[in-house]
Amino acid sequence: MRHSEFHRSHHIGWLRAAVLGANDGIVSTASLIIGVAAGNANHHTILLTGIAGLIAGAMSMAAGEYVSVSTQSDTENADLAKERLELATDQENELKELTGIYVGRGLTPDLALQVAEQLTVHDALGAHARDELGITEIVTARPVQAAFASAASFAVGAALPLIIALLASGKLLIPSVGATSLICLAVLGGVAAKVGGANQWTGAARMTFWGALAMAATAAIGSLFGASLV
């Protein structure tokens, strides 16, 4: 019976996309809202800006992630095609190459050769993909999954400051959106760090710092230039 274990690296693909999307959603939308509000825009304009930021940001995240991960997927497929051709035309040198990899990892030459021969018989392409190219099921590029995770998490993150902006108005809007967004960023950073096995306080502090910096920058620009309404 195969022994099953839990490893955090199994979640690295969707976790990276989800955390990046949610972080961008909170930071960019909260910063947009705060910047426009600091420029003395009316409540309707502030909400419209937040909604536009949510939609545009979610689509941009999905498109960017899809293109990026698709490029990685194309590269992996090209490498696999090349490896498949080499296995079909030069099996002897490919076996030597695989043997050398295992020797480099600490096996004796004889044992490395035996392992290479058995893995070649079992699944030659899989062995070279894993041990030579570093392509495994865990890290294989999945463009659609990454795009959906980024867009969905961005929308969820962006909705948080947008809801606060809907409920708050006047002088309470900026501090309410800012404080709530920073709290959400701290929680997100802590949870992401916990799932990834890192220090939760460090993760929370990292997210909060950059979020506060972005909001402060847009607030300053909004106050300096004001809102230009037609």
Side-chain angles (χ1 to χ4, degrees):
M1 181 179 295
R2 182 178 179 180
H3 177 57
S4 178
E5 292 184 348
F6 169 80
H7 294 285
R8 291 185 173 89
S9 60
H10 294 173
H11 303 290
I12 192 65
W14 67 262
L15 178 62
R16 171 190 169 278
V19 171
L20 179 63
N23 177 73
D24 281 3
I26 295 172
V27 173
S28 63
T29 305
S31 298
L32 274 173
I33 290 172
I34 290 174
V36 174
N40 299 316
N42 59 50
H43 197 233
H44 175 75
T45 301
I46 294 171
L47 292 177
L48 183 60
T49 300
I51 293 171
L54 186 156
I55 296 173
M59 295 304 297
S60 176
M61 287 292 293
E65 196 72 18
Y66 183 83
V67 171
S68 174
V69 180
S70 291
T71 301
Q72 178 186 343
S73 180
D74 292 342
T75 302
E76 290 176 352
N77 290 332
D79 283 342
L80 288 174
K82 178 182 178 183
E83 200 63 36
R84 190 178 290 109
L85 177 62
E86 291 174 348
L87 284 168
T89 58
D90 194 5
Q91 293 183 7
E92 183 178 349
N93 283 326
E94 287 300 301
L95 181 62
K96 290 180 180 179
E97 186 176 34
L98 198 58
T99 301
I101 291 173
Y102 299 141
V103 170
R105 292 180 181 177
L107 299 184
T108 63
D110 290 340
L111 180 57
L113 178 59
Q114 292 179 36
V115 172
E117 288 175 339
Q118 291 186 32
L119 288 177
T120 297
V121 171
H122 175 69
D123 182 7
L125 182 61
H128 282 269
R130 179 181 61 253
D131 296 321
E132 181 184 347
L133 303 177
I135 299 174
T136 67
E137 184 180 355
I138 296 174
V139 298
T140 298
R142 296 181 175 88
V144 175
Q145 181 190 62
F148 178 79
S150 291
S153 57
F154 182 97
V156 171
L160 297 174
L162 191 56
I163 291 172
I164 301 302
L166 180 64
L167 299 175
S169 60
K171 294 182 179 180
L172 292 176
L173 191 146
I174 292 178
S176 297
V177 171
T180 305
S181 297
L182 290 177
I183 291 173
C184 291
L185 286 171
V187 172
L188 176 63
V191 171
K194 180 177 177 61
V195 173
N199 184 280
Q200 297 178 56
W201 293 108
T202 301
R206 186 187 301 133
M207 287 255 197
T208 305
F209 171 77
W210 288 107
L213 187 63
M215 290 179 229
T218 55
I221 292 174
S223 297
L224 180 63
F225 294 103
S228 178
L229 303 177
V230 179

